[in-house]
Amino acid sequence: MGETLNTKKTGKFIDWWAHVAFGAFILSFLTLIASPFFQRTLLYKTVTATDDEIVKLEPVQVSANSLGAMSVDAEAQIGANEWVTFEIQLLDQSGKIIAAGIKEGWRETGSWYEDGESGTYDEADTLGGMDVKAKKDEKLTVAIALLEYGTVQGTELDKPVPFQVTVKSGVMDAGYFWFGTIGSFFLWLMTMVAAKKSGKKVINEKINDSDPTGRATIGGENKLVRVKVEIEADETTPNQLEVCLFVNDAYGEQIFAESVPVNVSIQKENGRFQKATASLNKYFIFPQAASYGFHVEVHPDQPIDRTKLIVQEGVKTLFPVEVVEIGATT
């Protein structure tokens, strides 16, 4: 009985979920970066309000089909150690209030002393606002109403307050994009790790030498088999090792043999040798399930401390890989 060998590169066993997760991460990240470019300033103006009138600004045109929401921000410009209560209103074309919000703003300044050190502080919270998503194309008017104004000492003030009003369209909540970007990033990492660790381990032989051997019943038309050789060597190892991999059938006859040069990675710490490692991954398809034996020889064998032979069945890959298909013929 003879065997045919067919070597080809295939993406049939790619774990596409890892690529879907990566695409979701890239999409979320690009949306996060691009979201500020969708914003457009519709109004930027300073108005002065008193407690006996409602100040209306010029109407702005909003569209129901635009990305994001319309953002209305109003910042009270008050003096040190003062507080203010004001209302932001949004009016439709008939003058009806369709949205409103009240803000209690304050500003405090002073000095501090602690453990022989001193300094000054100036803290404030004077910015109020709202986000609105238009249901139809229309013109909306922003109005500011000054409700109360005074000092932290309890004195009421009867004077106008300037407000810096900003209206923008296409405003998006970056918090959701950050959540989506971080979540999809960890999902991508998890799917990558799952793809690399996929498959059932059928052979796991480790010896303190250079020639491990193992046998297992494996195979099937849609089962990818990965043979992995992990090598540890001492400081006398050359920069490249020769790994010879042999596969035998159920009768002990050799059906595959290959010699592959692998590069050695040397790890040092503070200039001192720690360890030398090398590895080889080889992929196979055995269309017919049967008992197969695997044997590894590493040359030169003198510097080899340990060699591990791992065979996994039903593995997934992240990219197309070169596969050796071994099929029985008469």
Side-chain angles (χ1 to χ4, degrees):
M1 182 173 65
E3 299 285 347
T4 60
L5 302 180
N6 179 28
T7 301
K8 62 181 180 179
K9 195 168 188 177
T10 178
K12 178 180 179 181
F13 302 97
I14 291 178
D15 187 351
W16 291 107
W17 285 113
H19 295 272
V20 171
F22 178 71
F25 164 66
I26 292 297
L27 180 61
S28 298
F29 179 73
L30 292 178
T31 305
L32 174 65
I33 297 300
S35 59
F37 297 99
F38 291 102
Q39 297 183 15
R40 186 166 62 94
T41 301
L42 304 178
L43 186 65
Y44 183 77
K45 189 174 182 180
T46 301
V47 297
T48 301
T50 60
D51 59 0
D52 57 353
E53 66 175 343
I54 298 177
V55 180
K56 298 181 181 179
L57 288 82
E58 56 266 31
V60 293
Q61 181 68 44
V62 296
S63 174
N65 297 323
S66 62
L67 293 174
M70 184 182 76
S71 173
V72 180
D73 292 325
E75 185 172 14
Q77 300 176 352
I78 58 179
N81 299 316
E82 295 179 351
W83 61 270
V84 64
T85 303
F86 62 94
E87 183 179 25
I88 305 173
Q89 300 176 355
L90 198 59
L91 314 175
D92 61 12
Q93 290 179 275
S94 64
K96 180 182 177 181
I97 299 176
I98 60 174
I102 295 177
K103 172 67 178 180
E104 296 180 354
W106 53 269
R107 181 186 173 193
E108 292 186 3
T109 62
S111 303
W112 59 269
Y113 303 91
E114 184 177 355
D115 297 332
E117 297 182 354
S118 62
T120 60
Y121 65 89
D122 188 343
E123 300 177 348
D125 179 16
T126 58
L127 179 64
M130 65 177 70
D131 294 333
V132 179
K133 181 64 177 177
K135 295 183 179 180
K136 61 180 180 178
D137 296 346
E138 61 180 330
K139 287 187 177 181
L140 300 178
T141 301
V142 178
I144 304 295
L146 178 62
L147 303 180
E148 294 181 282
Y149 186 28
T151 66
V152 295
Q153 290 80 18
T155 303
E156 293 187 4
L157 300 177
D158 185 16
K159 60 180 182 179
V161 177
F163 290 88
Q164 181 64 62
V165 181
T166 305
V167 181
K168 294 182 178 180
S169 65
V171 176
M172 304 179 188
D173 190 346
Y176 291 104
F177 294 135
W178 275 112
F179 178 79
T181 300
I182 295 174
S184 58
F185 175 74
F186 281 106
L187 179 62
W188 172 46
L189 291 182
M190 290 171 61
T191 53
M192 285 187 62
V193 172
K196 291 184 176 181
K197 291 183 176 296
S198 63
K200 177 184 177 182
K201 190 178 294 185
V202 294
I203 295 177
N204 186 17
E205 294 292 334
K206 180 179 180 180
I207 63 172
N208 296 327
D209 206 338
S210 61
D211 52 352
T213 299
R215 177 171 286 274
T217 299
I218 55 176
E221 189 67 33
N222 296 313
K223 291 184 178 180
L224 181 64
V225 176
R226 176 172 58 204
V227 179
K228 186 174 184 179
V229 180
E230 297 179 348
I231 304 165
E232 294 183 23
D234 60 28
E235 63 272 16
T236 64
T237 184
N239 293 328
Q240 198 172 73
L241 296 171
E242 198 77 17
V243 179
C244 300
L245 176 62
F246 306 93
V247 181
N248 301 325
D249 63 12
Y251 302 98
E253 297 181 4
Q254 183 176 291
I255 58 176
F256 175 84
E258 185 178 56
S259 178
V260 182
V262 295
N263 294 324
V264 176
S265 176
I266 298 177
Q267 298 181 21
K268 294 183 178 181
E269 184 175 338
N270 297 325
R272 299 183 61 182
F273 175 86
Q274 296 295 313
K275 65 178 180 178
T277 59
S279 64
L280 170 68
N281 284 289
K282 196 72 180 179
Y283 295 90
F284 294 88
I285 295 177
F286 300 94
Q288 298 178 359
S291 175
Y292 293 94
F294 299 85
H295 177 67
V296 174
E297 294 180 2
V298 183
H299 302 283
D301 60 352
Q302 292 85 358
I304 307 304
D305 292 331
R306 277 171 293 277
T307 307
K308 180 183 285 190
L309 170 63
I310 303 171
V311 179
Q312 293 171 282
E313 181 184 54
V315 302
K316 295 292 184 179
T317 64
L318 294 174
F319 303 99
V321 293
E322 188 174 85
V323 175
V324 178
E325 186 174 9
I326 301 179
T329 61
T330 57

